[in-house]
Amino acid sequence: MAKALKKKKTKDQRPSWDEYFLGIADLVSKRSTCLRRKVGAVIVKGRRILATGYNGTPTNIKHCIEVGCLRDRLRIPSGQRHELCRGLHAEQNALLQAALYGIPLQDTILYCTNQPCIICAKMLINAGVKELVITDGYPDKMAADFFREAGIKVRKFKKK
């Protein structure tokens, strides 16, 4: 039995870098206080994590899990009227965390559980993010168009 425990790990048993960082983004999303969609984001450079974020309200503001979802009450479809939400998106929180601690984001990779919306897309473009790796889409064609026009590579990760 001791021999079985000492079995060496092969390279194939380790997660790829994409799997690793997307797994962390998924874990980060579990902190979300959004009632509609749990999103996690991780900003990476040189295989090192610079910042993380999940969707939720600003500091010292009551969370949607406490007061309910205005977007649900108003029956606002996903991908529309982003201003009618108490929360910040995961990507925004990751960008703000980096800014708060003075971390430059030029030439970084964003790992995210969803494609960013157009508002986040504009912020990510101006922050210098060069690539996105996502696991899920989002109903925002304009964001995808902006990423393409800005020359930002977007990859949808498919598990093996």
Side-chain angles (χ1 to χ4, degrees):
M1 182 128 176
K3 282 188 179 183
L5 293 175
K6 290 184 180 182
K7 183 179 174 185
K8 287 186 178 181
K9 283 192 171 190
T10 65
K11 185 176 181 181
D12 294 337
Q13 290 175 308
R14 296 177 71 196
S16 69
W17 287 109
D18 285 349
E19 288 173 307
Y20 176 71
F21 291 122
L22 286 169
I24 293 170
D26 183 60
L27 180 62
V28 169
S29 77
K30 292 176 182 4
R31 291 281 307 154
S32 170
T33 58
C34 180
L35 297 170
R36 296 178 88 178
R37 182 190 308 259
K38 306 227 180 272
V39 180
V42 177
I43 301 175
V44 173
K45 187 170 188 175
R47 297 184 176 160
R48 300 289 182 253
I49 296 172
L50 302 180
T52 65
Y54 54 86
N55 52 332
T57 59
T59 304
N60 298 322
I61 301 296
K62 288 184 181 178
H63 295 285
C64 299
I65 56 176
E66 298 172 278
V67 299
C69 178
L70 175 62
R71 295 173 58 80
D72 274 348
R73 283 196 301 272
L74 297 175
R75 299 180 205 273
I76 298 171
S78 184
Q80 298 178 18
R81 304 291 313 268
H82 298 288
E83 75 279 8
L84 295 176
C85 180
R86 296 179 67 77
L88 292 161
H89 289 182
E91 306 91 324
Q92 294 168 337
N93 273 324
L95 291 170
L96 291 167
Q97 183 185 57
L100 185 63
Y101 292 101
I103 301 169
L105 299 179
Q106 191 68 36
D107 298 325
T108 55
I109 300 172
L110 174 82
Y111 288 88
C112 195
T113 58
N114 289 86
Q115 175 197 295
C117 72
I118 185 59
I119 295 169
C120 292
K122 292 185 275 188
M123 291 178 185
L124 293 164
I125 291 165
N126 275 7
V129 173
K130 69 174 182 181
E131 183 176 354
L132 280 80
V133 183
I134 60 173
T135 53
D136 251 332
Y138 188 74
D140 196 328
K141 182 185 177 316
M142 190 176 190
D145 291 344
F146 268 48
F147 287 131
R148 196 171 15 268
E149 186 176 342
I152 294 175
K153 183 177 180 181
V154 179
R155 293 187 291 120
K156 188 167 183 183
F157 181 78
K158 293 180 176 107
K159 282 197 170 193
K160 296 171 186 167

